[in-house]
């Protein structure tokens, strides 16, 4: 196949956040199953999970399945898939205990030997387990450590997904067009050598995370460029609810801070939002004040910023918590802010909303199966319907865990009856471009995509803005696709191609839905 590298595995897992790691770990229990776990970063831990501060939903002391279900449905603003919510509320807390605590040894905060539970916005009970203000880092560390002990899991870092390998699209025999469509693996770019590797897999799992980098300001890591979503779109996989992009209300506003997230748990523990005059303002927008759902808080801050001379509002911890408690409960936030000469035990934090979480994605069923045979999707790239139009705080890590477990169980049941596609049945990768991509062009096109999305498909949208976004993004996509065909492949180029396609998916979904709901707010 033109000197290409061929890899064969039972299960190809793309992405190494909580969803990707958990599905690989669960599958690895069957030592006969070979798993190839891929990340495009050099560090296996690099993911949105690593940055998650707040925590993960469990079952609090005065909690119940019914209470959690109600809170999720309320936050989802009438668009949740009730069947999926039932699954999460029933299975989630048990999995936190069995997989995270007992199996991999995640150390959540405790007092006197008992687990501590905190409460975040739109939760009716204290049910969230946490590790100070770096819960995701603790979870990611323990999951990746456990994975490395399994000999049937091969970890491939620094490789970027180019496209899914599908039949009949990539078939050498055009008569395959009469057969049903299925995924048989993927094309990967070795970021260092530039070599394309063709991976044949019986089952493929997309766990590639979110889309935050499509926006000018985001809490997401640099790897969140919508790779899985874009690849699925090119493979004609069904995608739903893409207009629902959640903006986190409070990221640190500082020219050097790179949108550092200030966890919602800060408000859950008593901090309040104040305007430039130092006055509480959220009660104007919702009776729950600073603990209203994220979409409401983000829009409230947006309106306050529009009516002020500043580009931010303030989050006040110092007036409501003592110094020792702040330092102990929020060490990461305290230390990070201190780097920018902000002492949160004495002064307020300047904050502003920023793109945070994608509530839509690849439509999947209760076992993470997509509309394409042999392709699964879990975590933020998927849409189970749990989040509806607006995600409840700390529900995303739990959703990734639950559907990773269900996905692994489904694959384990069918893997013995599955067969690898033969090499001769698939067209080899053809290298077309022979020029090096100009980094200035990539950077400028990225800036155009991000600016369009931030200004036209952001926190507050209008029909005119969305229409302009679709037109501009279509032009950019055509230009970038032509660029992609004429130069050598690189990670940066692939991310740009995926980013513009992801942005267009969101903008076109927003154009089709003119009704405001949750985090899709269309101002008339």
């Amino acid at each position: 196949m033109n000197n290409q590298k061929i890899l064969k595995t039972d299960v190809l897992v793309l992405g190494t956040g909580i969803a990707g790691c958990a599905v690989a770990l669960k599958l690895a229990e069957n030592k006969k199953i070979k798993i190839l776990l891929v990340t495009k970063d050099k560090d296996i831990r690099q993911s949105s999970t690593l940055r998650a501060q707040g925590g993960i939903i469990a079952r609090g002391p005065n909690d119940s399945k019914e209470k959690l279900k109600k809170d999720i449905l309320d936050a989802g603003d009438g668009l949740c898939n009730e069947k999926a919510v039932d699954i999460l509320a029933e299975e989630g807390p048990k999995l936190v205990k069995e997989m995270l605590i007992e199996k991999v040894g995640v150390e959540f905060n405790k007092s006197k030997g008992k687990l501590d539970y905190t409460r975040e916005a739109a939760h009716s009970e204290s049910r969230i387990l946490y590790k100070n203000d770096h819960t995701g880092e603790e979870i990611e560390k323990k999951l990746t450590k456990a994975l490395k002990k399994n000999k049937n899991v091969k970890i491939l870092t620094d490789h970027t997904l180019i496209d899914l390998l599908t039949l009949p699209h990539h078939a050498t025999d055009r008569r395959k067009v009469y057969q049903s469509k299925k995924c048989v693996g993927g094309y990967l770019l070795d970021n260092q050598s530039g070599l394309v590797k063709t991976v044949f897999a019986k089952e493929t799992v997309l766990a590639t995370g979110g889309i935050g980098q499509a926006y000018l300001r985001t809490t997401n890591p640099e790897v969140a460029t919508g790779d899985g979503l874009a690849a699925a779109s090119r493979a004609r996989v069904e995608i739903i609810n893409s207009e629902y992009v959640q903006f986190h209300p409070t990221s640190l506003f500082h020219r050097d801070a790179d949108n550092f997230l200030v966890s919602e748990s800060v408000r859950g523990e008593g901090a309040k939002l104040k305007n430039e005059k130092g006055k509480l303002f959220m009660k104007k927008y919702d009776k729950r004040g600073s603990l209203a759902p994220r979409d409401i808080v983000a829009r409230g801050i947006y309106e306050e910023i529009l009516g002020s001379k500043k580009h931010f509002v303030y989050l006040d911890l110092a007036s409501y918590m003592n110094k020792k408690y702040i330092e102990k409960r929020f060490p990461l936030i305290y230390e990070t802010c201190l780097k920018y000469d902000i002492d949160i035990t004495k002064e307020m934090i300047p904050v502003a909303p920023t793109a945070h979480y994608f509530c839509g994605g690849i439509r999947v069923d209760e076992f993470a199966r997509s509309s394409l045979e042999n392709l699964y999707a879990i975590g933020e790239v998927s849409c189970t319907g749990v989040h509806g139009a607006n995600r409840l705080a700390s529900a995303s890590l739990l959703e990734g865990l639950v559907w990773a477990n269900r996905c692994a169980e489904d694959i384990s049941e069918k893997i013995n009856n599955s067969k690898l596609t033969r090499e001769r049945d698939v067209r080899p990768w053809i290298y077309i471009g022979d020029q090096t991509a100009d980094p200035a062009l990539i950077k400028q096109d990225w800036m155009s995509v991000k600016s369009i999305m931030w200004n036209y498909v952001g926190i507050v949208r209008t029909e005119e803005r969305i229409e302009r976004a679709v037109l501009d993004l279509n032009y950019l996509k055509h230009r970038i696709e032509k660029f992609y065909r004429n130069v050598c492949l690189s990670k940066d180029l692939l991310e740009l191609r995926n980013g513009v396609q992801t942005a267009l998916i969101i903008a076109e979904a927003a154009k089709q839905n003119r009704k405001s709901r949750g985090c899709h707010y269309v101002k008339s």
Side-chain angles (χ1 to χ4, degrees):
M1 291 181 99
N2 290 356
N3 297 319
Q4 293 178 72
K5 177 79 173 180
I6 304 298
L7 300 176
K8 296 180 180 180
T9 187
D10 291 321
V11 185
L12 170 62
V13 180
L14 296 149
T16 55
I18 188 172
C21 288
V23 74
L25 196 60
K26 180 69 177 178
L27 285 166
E29 292 176 2
N30 183 338
K31 300 305 177 183
K32 294 181 179 179
I33 299 177
K34 295 179 181 179
I35 303 118
L36 180 62
L37 181 61
V38 180
T39 175
K40 66 178 177 180
D41 201 84
K42 293 178 181 179
D43 181 0
I44 185 180
R45 300 181 307 158
Q46 190 56 250
S47 63
S48 291
T49 298
L50 185 69
R51 290 194 177 195
Q53 293 179 8
I56 186 169
I57 291 172
R59 185 85 77 224
N62 302 309
D63 202 10
S64 67
K65 171 189 171 182
E66 291 71 27
K67 287 180 180 179
L68 175 56
K69 178 180 177 179
K70 184 180 185 303
D71 288 347
I72 294 172
L73 293 176
D74 287 346
D77 203 10
L79 197 67
C80 296
N81 175 0
E82 196 164 340
K83 183 178 180 181
V85 176
D86 278 329
I87 290 170
L88 185 84
E90 177 69 36
E91 299 178 10
K94 183 180 178 183
L95 275 174
V96 171
K97 179 176 181 290
E98 293 178 351
M99 180 173 276
L100 295 187
I101 298 175
E102 296 176 355
K103 184 171 183 176
V104 302
V106 172
E107 297 178 8
F108 295 111
N109 278 34
K110 291 182 178 180
S111 294
K112 297 179 181 179
K114 292 185 178 180
L115 289 166
D116 285 337
Y117 294 88
T118 190
R119 179 178 171 181
E120 294 185 2
H123 285 270
S124 60
E125 297 289 341
S126 296
R127 59 166 67 98
I128 297 164
L129 294 177
Y130 61 94
K131 177 66 174 179
N132 294 326
D133 55 357
H134 48 88
T135 307
E137 182 182 357
E138 167 69 8
I139 291 172
E140 188 75 14
K141 181 175 71 174
K142 294 298 173 61
L143 282 173
T144 52
K145 182 180 178 181
L147 271 171
K148 292 174 181 177
K149 297 177 182 177
N150 292 274
K151 293 182 179 180
N152 55 330
V153 178
K154 181 180 179 181
I155 298 170
L156 200 61
T157 61
D158 217 3
H159 282 69
T160 302
L161 173 65
I162 302 171
D163 268 316
L164 294 170
L165 192 60
T166 62
L167 298 178
H169 181 68
H170 293 106
T172 52
D173 185 352
R174 295 312 299 161
R175 289 173 297 179
K176 295 284 186 182
V177 74
Y178 301 112
Q179 299 179 8
S180 60
K181 293 168 60 178
K182 64 179 179 179
C183 181
V184 296
Y187 291 118
L188 304 179
L189 175 71
D190 183 327
N191 298 333
Q192 294 301 312
S193 69
L195 181 71
V196 173
K197 298 179 180 179
T198 304
V199 183
F200 289 93
K202 296 177 182 178
E203 310 292 339
T204 299
V205 183
L206 286 174
T208 50
I211 52 82
Q213 289 298 330
Y215 284 87
L216 199 59
R217 300 189 71 236
T218 180
T219 59
N220 289 186
E222 291 183 1
V223 295
T225 52
D227 300 340
L229 189 76
S233 176
R234 290 191 289 269
R236 302 293 188 266
V237 178
E238 187 177 356
I239 295 168
I240 60 172
N241 291 0
S242 299
E243 63 269 41
Y244 299 105
V245 178
Q246 187 181 72
F247 286 75
H248 197 287
T250 55
S251 72
L252 174 61
F253 190 91
H254 191 284
R255 64 183 181 182
D256 300 321
D258 193 27
N259 301 315
F260 173 74
L261 176 68
V262 180
S263 172
E264 192 159 306
S265 60
V266 174
R267 283 178 284 130
E269 295 287 352
K272 306 289 185 185
L273 287 162
K274 294 181 177 179
N275 59 23
E276 62 177 340
K277 296 178 181 178
K279 302 292 184 182
L280 298 171
F281 64 85
M282 269 310 301
K283 286 289 179 73
K284 290 193 296 183
Y285 305 100
D286 192 281
K287 63 182 180 180
R288 290 164 288 189
S290 294
L291 285 177
R294 287 178 175 176
D295 61 315
I296 296 173
V297 178
R299 286 196 297 273
I301 294 173
Y302 176 85
E303 293 296 334
E304 290 296 310
I305 290 172
L306 280 182
S308 75
K309 296 178 181 179
K310 297 181 185 265
H311 298 291
F312 54 85
V313 295
Y314 293 100
L315 185 60
D316 185 0
L317 287 75
S319 298
Y320 304 97
M321 307 175 208
N322 65 52
K323 184 176 187 292
K324 287 186 178 180
Y325 182 78
I326 291 172
E327 292 175 354
K328 182 181 178 181
R329 178 65 178 85
F330 304 110
L332 178 63
I333 297 171
Y334 172 71
E335 291 166 9
T336 301
C337 287
L338 213 54
K339 290 178 183 177
Y340 303 106
D341 297 320
I342 303 167
D343 185 345
I344 64 174
T345 67
K346 298 177 181 177
E347 54 193 314
M348 298 187 290
I349 310 174
V351 295
T354 186
H356 185 57
Y357 190 85
F358 186 47
C359 294
I362 298 166
R363 185 185 68 80
V364 297
D365 65 10
E366 62 267 33
F367 292 101
R369 296 175 291 219
S370 76
S371 61
L372 180 62
E373 187 180 346
N374 298 340
L375 179 68
Y376 294 78
I378 51 178
E380 194 172 349
V381 73
S382 72
C383 185
T384 63
V386 161
H387 308 304
N390 184 49
R391 177 176 69 99
L392 181 68
S394 292
S396 52
L397 291 177
L398 189 64
E399 182 199 33
L401 185 67
V402 170
W403 265 263
N405 187 68
R406 287 179 147 256
C407 175
E409 288 179 347
D410 195 64
I411 289 174
S412 297
E413 287 181 9
K414 63 185 281 195
I415 198 78
N416 290 335
N417 298 319
S418 301
K419 293 182 180 180
L420 280 173
T421 297
R422 297 175 301 183
E423 290 179 36
R424 68 172 182 265
D425 290 339
V426 172
R427 298 197 313 268
W429 179 266
I430 300 174
Y431 293 88
I432 301 175
D434 57 1
Q435 299 177 1
T436 302
D438 186 340
L441 295 178
I442 292 177
K443 186 174 182 179
Q444 180 56 44
D445 282 346
W446 251 128
M447 185 56 64
S448 296
V449 172
K450 291 170 180 283
S451 297
I452 290 167
M453 292 300 288
W454 184 259
N455 292 319
Y456 300 157
V457 200
I459 301 167
V460 174
R461 305 163 180 180
T462 67
E463 290 184 16
E464 291 79 10
R465 293 173 191 172
I466 296 168
E467 182 71 34
R468 174 72 69 85
V470 171
L471 290 171
D472 289 354
L473 289 168
N474 265 311
Y475 169 72
L476 270 172
K477 182 176 180 292
H478 174 75
R479 191 172 72 187
I480 291 167
E481 195 65 32
K482 186 177 179 180
F483 183 41
Y484 165 80
R485 299 291 175 187
N486 293 319
V487 298
C488 295
L489 291 182
S490 68
K491 175 172 171 282
D492 290 344
L493 179 61
L494 291 174
E495 289 180 329
L496 173 63
R497 182 193 187 212
N498 292 330
V500 71
Q501 184 155 0
T502 292
L504 192 55
I505 289 168
I506 296 167
E508 287 181 334
K511 182 181 177 181
Q512 294 299 317
N513 184 2
R514 301 186 179 190
K515 183 179 179 181
S516 292
R517 187 193 294 270
C519 50
H520 172 55
Y521 182 76
V522 185
K523 190 175 182 180
S524 57

